[in-house]
mmCIF file of all heavy atoms in Angstrom:
data_model
loop_
_atom_site.group_PDB
_atom_site.id
_atom_site.type_symbol
_atom_site.label_atom_id
_atom_site.label_comp_id
_atom_site.label_asym_id
_atom_site.label_seq_id
_atom_site.Cartn_x
_atom_site.Cartn_y
_atom_site.Cartn_z
ATOM 1 N N LEU A 896 9.240 1.928 14.909
ATOM 2 C CA LEU A 896 10.189 2.352 13.915
ATOM 3 C C LEU A 896 10.276 1.287 12.773
ATOM 4 O O LEU A 896 10.408 1.617 11.614
ATOM 5 C CB LEU A 896 11.600 2.487 14.547
ATOM 6 C CG LEU A 896 11.737 3.834 15.245
ATOM 7 C CD1 LEU A 896 12.931 3.807 16.137
ATOM 8 C CD2 LEU A 896 11.852 4.971 14.241
ATOM 9 N N ARG A 897 10.304 0.096 13.211
ATOM 10 C CA ARG A 897 10.392 -1.025 12.275
ATOM 11 C C ARG A 897 9.198 -1.030 11.346
ATOM 12 O O ARG A 897 9.301 -1.141 10.090
ATOM 13 C CB ARG A 897 10.438 -2.351 13.021
ATOM 14 C CG ARG A 897 11.478 -3.256 12.486
ATOM 15 C CD ARG A 897 11.444 -4.501 13.285
ATOM 16 N NE ARG A 897 12.546 -4.554 14.229
ATOM 17 C CZ ARG A 897 12.382 -5.007 15.473
ATOM 18 N NH1 ARG A 897 11.248 -5.383 15.942
ATOM 19 N NH2 ARG A 897 13.472 -5.043 16.300
ATOM 20 N N HIS A 908 5.903 7.896 9.543
ATOM 21 C CA HIS A 908 7.330 8.178 9.669
ATOM 22 C C HIS A 908 7.519 8.757 11.094
ATOM 23 O O HIS A 908 7.014 9.821 11.396
ATOM 24 C CB HIS A 908 7.783 9.282 8.696
ATOM 25 C CG HIS A 908 8.347 8.666 7.442
ATOM 26 N ND1 HIS A 908 9.566 9.000 6.930
ATOM 27 C CD2 HIS A 908 7.829 7.755 6.598
ATOM 28 C CE1 HIS A 908 9.804 8.346 5.811
ATOM 29 N NE2 HIS A 908 8.780 7.582 5.672
ATOM 30 N N ARG A 920 8.460 11.896 -4.505
ATOM 31 C CA ARG A 920 9.673 11.324 -3.992
ATOM 32 C C ARG A 920 10.562 12.407 -3.460
ATOM 33 O O ARG A 920 11.277 13.103 -4.214
ATOM 34 C CB ARG A 920 10.362 10.519 -5.093
ATOM 35 C CG ARG A 920 9.483 9.574 -5.743
ATOM 36 C CD ARG A 920 10.255 8.517 -6.507
ATOM 37 N NE ARG A 920 10.884 9.171 -7.668
ATOM 38 C CZ ARG A 920 10.358 9.332 -8.829
ATOM 39 N NH1 ARG A 920 9.101 8.867 -9.026
ATOM 40 N NH2 ARG A 920 11.042 9.811 -9.807
ATOM 41 N N GLU A 922 13.095 12.587 -1.883
ATOM 42 C CA GLU A 922 14.590 12.600 -1.975
ATOM 43 C C GLU A 922 15.112 13.200 -3.244
ATOM 44 O O GLU A 922 16.247 13.532 -3.342
ATOM 45 C CB GLU A 922 15.140 11.217 -1.704
ATOM 46 C CG GLU A 922 14.671 10.048 -2.568
ATOM 47 C CD GLU A 922 15.531 8.943 -2.558
ATOM 48 O OE1 GLU A 922 16.136 8.657 -1.424
ATOM 49 O OE2 GLU A 922 15.661 8.222 -3.541
ATOM 50 N N ARG A 1300 -15.289 -11.120 -3.719
ATOM 51 C CA ARG A 1300 -13.945 -10.585 -4.167
ATOM 52 C C ARG A 1300 -14.014 -10.474 -5.660
ATOM 53 O O ARG A 1300 -14.149 -11.493 -6.327
ATOM 54 C CB ARG A 1300 -12.805 -11.537 -3.655
ATOM 55 C CG ARG A 1300 -13.155 -12.966 -3.597
ATOM 56 C CD ARG A 1300 -11.885 -13.803 -3.684
ATOM 57 N NE ARG A 1300 -12.107 -14.927 -4.557
ATOM 58 C CZ ARG A 1300 -11.881 -14.988 -5.818
ATOM 59 N NH1 ARG A 1300 -11.229 -14.004 -6.417
ATOM 60 N NH2 ARG A 1300 -12.196 -16.057 -6.578
ATOM 61 N N PHE A 1325 -3.615 -1.163 -11.941
ATOM 62 C CA PHE A 1325 -3.730 -1.523 -13.316
ATOM 63 C C PHE A 1325 -4.932 -0.771 -14.007
ATOM 64 O O PHE A 1325 -4.808 -0.169 -15.088
ATOM 65 C CB PHE A 1325 -3.962 -3.008 -13.441
ATOM 66 C CG PHE A 1325 -4.295 -3.535 -14.871
ATOM 67 C CD1 PHE A 1325 -3.265 -3.516 -15.799
ATOM 68 C CD2 PHE A 1325 -5.538 -3.978 -15.190
ATOM 69 C CE1 PHE A 1325 -3.556 -3.955 -17.097
ATOM 70 C CE2 PHE A 1325 -5.836 -4.447 -16.471
ATOM 71 C CZ PHE A 1325 -4.817 -4.447 -17.384
ATOM 72 N N PHE A 1340 -9.337 -8.247 -22.709
ATOM 73 C CA PHE A 1340 -8.139 -9.105 -22.718
ATOM 74 C C PHE A 1340 -8.229 -10.285 -21.767
ATOM 75 O O PHE A 1340 -9.127 -10.296 -20.896
ATOM 76 C CB PHE A 1340 -6.941 -8.212 -22.342
ATOM 77 C CG PHE A 1340 -7.310 -7.095 -21.299
ATOM 78 C CD1 PHE A 1340 -7.562 -7.440 -19.989
ATOM 79 C CD2 PHE A 1340 -7.450 -5.807 -21.758
ATOM 80 C CE1 PHE A 1340 -7.809 -6.396 -19.048
ATOM 81 C CE2 PHE A 1340 -7.810 -4.871 -20.842
ATOM 82 C CZ PHE A 1340 -7.953 -5.120 -19.541
ATOM 83 N N ARG A 1341 -7.358 -11.176 -21.905
ATOM 84 C CA ARG A 1341 -7.256 -12.359 -21.010
ATOM 85 C C ARG A 1341 -6.562 -11.949 -19.702
ATOM 86 O O ARG A 1341 -5.487 -11.431 -19.733
ATOM 87 C CB ARG A 1341 -6.521 -13.459 -21.657
ATOM 88 C CG ARG A 1341 -7.345 -14.235 -22.755
ATOM 89 C CD ARG A 1341 -6.603 -15.462 -23.276
ATOM 90 N NE ARG A 1341 -5.564 -15.941 -22.425
ATOM 91 C CZ ARG A 1341 -5.446 -17.207 -22.137
ATOM 92 N NH1 ARG A 1341 -6.234 -18.136 -22.677
ATOM 93 N NH2 ARG A 1341 -4.449 -17.646 -21.382
ATOM 94 N N VAL A 1342 -7.235 -12.289 -18.596
ATOM 95 C CA VAL A 1342 -6.580 -11.965 -17.206
ATOM 96 C C VAL A 1342 -6.740 -13.165 -16.358
ATOM 97 O O VAL A 1342 -7.464 -14.075 -16.642
ATOM 98 C CB VAL A 1342 -7.278 -10.761 -16.562
ATOM 99 C CG1 VAL A 1342 -7.135 -9.459 -17.358
ATOM 100 C CG2 VAL A 1342 -8.808 -11.033 -16.438
ATOM 101 N N VAL A 1343 -5.958 -13.109 -15.294
ATOM 102 C CA VAL A 1343 -6.059 -14.175 -14.256
ATOM 103 C C VAL A 1343 -7.454 -13.983 -13.599
ATOM 104 O O VAL A 1343 -7.997 -12.902 -13.549
ATOM 105 C CB VAL A 1343 -5.003 -14.079 -13.182
ATOM 106 C CG1 VAL A 1343 -3.617 -14.275 -13.846
ATOM 107 C CG2 VAL A 1343 -5.027 -12.811 -12.392
ATOM 108 N N PRO B 1142 -3.101 -7.851 -14.277
ATOM 109 C CA PRO B 1142 -3.839 -9.140 -14.208
ATOM 110 C C PRO B 1142 -3.658 -9.994 -15.514
ATOM 111 O O PRO B 1142 -4.055 -11.090 -15.533
ATOM 112 C CB PRO B 1142 -5.317 -8.830 -14.016
ATOM 113 C CG PRO B 1142 -5.386 -7.388 -14.485
ATOM 114 C CD PRO B 1142 -4.053 -6.750 -14.264
ATOM 115 N N PRO B 1172 -7.899 -17.544 -8.702
ATOM 116 C CA PRO B 1172 -8.310 -17.587 -7.301
ATOM 117 C C PRO B 1172 -7.555 -18.709 -6.522
ATOM 118 O O PRO B 1172 -7.485 -18.693 -5.300
ATOM 119 C CB PRO B 1172 -9.735 -17.806 -7.277
ATOM 120 C CG PRO B 1172 -10.008 -18.553 -8.505
ATOM 121 C CD PRO B 1172 -9.003 -18.102 -9.527
ATOM 122 N N ASP B 1358 17.827 3.145 15.985
ATOM 123 C CA ASP B 1358 16.788 3.556 15.067
ATOM 124 C C ASP B 1358 17.250 3.240 13.586
ATOM 125 O O ASP B 1358 16.464 3.159 12.647
ATOM 126 C CB ASP B 1358 16.524 5.017 15.057
ATOM 127 C CG ASP B 1358 15.846 5.355 16.362
ATOM 128 O OD1 ASP B 1358 15.687 4.518 17.227
ATOM 129 O OD2 ASP B 1358 15.511 6.551 16.492
ATOM 130 N N LEU B 1383 -0.534 -13.510 -20.498
ATOM 131 C CA LEU B 1383 -1.790 -14.123 -20.923
ATOM 132 C C LEU B 1383 -2.445 -13.510 -22.115
ATOM 133 O O LEU B 1383 -3.260 -14.106 -22.717
ATOM 134 C CB LEU B 1383 -2.826 -14.072 -19.774
ATOM 135 C CG LEU B 1383 -2.486 -14.804 -18.455
ATOM 136 C CD1 LEU B 1383 -3.632 -14.647 -17.498
ATOM 137 C CD2 LEU B 1383 -2.317 -16.323 -18.789
ATOM 138 N N ASP B 1384 -1.945 -12.268 -22.509
ATOM 139 C CA ASP B 1384 -2.474 -11.686 -23.668
ATOM 140 C C ASP B 1384 -1.333 -10.809 -24.186
ATOM 141 O O ASP B 1384 -0.297 -10.737 -23.534
ATOM 142 C CB ASP B 1384 -3.632 -10.785 -23.221
ATOM 143 C CG ASP B 1384 -4.647 -10.623 -24.292
ATOM 144 O OD1 ASP B 1384 -4.241 -10.540 -25.526
ATOM 145 O OD2 ASP B 1384 -5.873 -10.510 -24.044
ATOM 146 N N ARG B 1395 1.236 -12.779 -26.370
ATOM 147 C CA ARG B 1395 0.576 -13.706 -25.504
ATOM 148 C C ARG B 1395 1.396 -15.053 -25.447
ATOM 149 O O ARG B 1395 1.840 -15.573 -26.425
ATOM 150 C CB ARG B 1395 -0.770 -13.984 -26.146
ATOM 151 C CG ARG B 1395 -1.575 -15.048 -25.617
ATOM 152 C CD ARG B 1395 -2.890 -14.992 -26.310
ATOM 153 N NE ARG B 1395 -3.764 -16.111 -25.829
ATOM 154 C CZ ARG B 1395 -5.048 -16.206 -26.127
ATOM 155 N NH1 ARG B 1395 -5.640 -15.251 -26.831
ATOM 156 N NH2 ARG B 1395 -5.803 -17.239 -25.690
ATOM 157 N N ALA B 1411 15.649 6.646 -12.550
ATOM 158 C CA ALA B 1411 14.422 7.380 -12.831
ATOM 159 C C ALA B 1411 13.488 7.237 -11.664
ATOM 160 O O ALA B 1411 12.526 7.975 -11.481
ATOM 161 C CB ALA B 1411 13.732 6.831 -14.042
ATOM 162 N N HIS B 1412 13.812 6.333 -10.667
ATOM 163 C CA HIS B 1412 12.887 6.208 -9.567
ATOM 164 C C HIS B 1412 13.630 6.610 -8.246
ATOM 165 O O HIS B 1412 13.018 7.127 -7.315
ATOM 166 C CB HIS B 1412 12.461 4.715 -9.410
ATOM 167 C CG HIS B 1412 11.592 4.543 -8.149
ATOM 168 N ND1 HIS B 1412 10.349 5.049 -8.159
ATOM 169 C CD2 HIS B 1412 11.858 3.936 -6.982
ATOM 170 C CE1 HIS B 1412 9.852 4.790 -6.943
ATOM 171 N NE2 HIS B 1412 10.710 4.092 -6.218
ATOM 172 N N LYS B 1414 16.993 8.408 -6.436
ATOM 173 C CA LYS B 1414 18.144 9.377 -6.586
ATOM 174 C C LYS B 1414 19.444 8.665 -6.194
ATOM 175 O O LYS B 1414 19.402 7.944 -5.217
ATOM 176 C CB LYS B 1414 18.001 10.599 -5.749
ATOM 177 C CG LYS B 1414 18.980 11.703 -5.992
ATOM 178 C CD LYS B 1414 18.655 12.834 -5.088
ATOM 179 C CE LYS B 1414 19.798 13.679 -4.711
ATOM 180 N NZ LYS B 1414 19.517 14.580 -3.560
ATOM 181 N N ALA B 1424 15.028 9.131 2.962
ATOM 182 C CA ALA B 1424 13.791 9.482 3.639
ATOM 183 C C ALA B 1424 12.573 8.574 3.117
ATOM 184 O O ALA B 1424 11.704 8.238 3.825
ATOM 185 C CB ALA B 1424 13.365 10.971 3.362
ATOM 186 N N GLN B 1449 17.065 -7.774 10.840
ATOM 187 C CA GLN B 1449 17.353 -6.714 11.772
ATOM 188 C C GLN B 1449 18.040 -7.203 13.023
ATOM 189 O O GLN B 1449 19.049 -6.638 13.476
ATOM 190 C CB GLN B 1449 16.023 -6.004 12.143
ATOM 191 C CG GLN B 1449 15.442 -5.137 10.921
ATOM 192 C CD GLN B 1449 13.977 -4.813 11.133
ATOM 193 O OE1 GLN B 1449 13.412 -5.035 12.197
ATOM 194 N NE2 GLN B 1449 13.377 -4.215 10.155
#
Side-chain angles (χ1 to χ4, degrees):
Chain A
L896 280 167
R897 224 180 257 139
H908 265 233
R920 304 196 297 272
E922 51 164 35
R1300 32 156 222 97
F1325 173 71
F1340 33 74
R1341 283 182 26 129
V1342 293
V1343 300
Chain B
D1358 292 5
L1383 291 179
D1384 208 325
R1395 170 175 177 169
H1412 179 72
K1414 187 179 152 194
Q1449 290 165 4

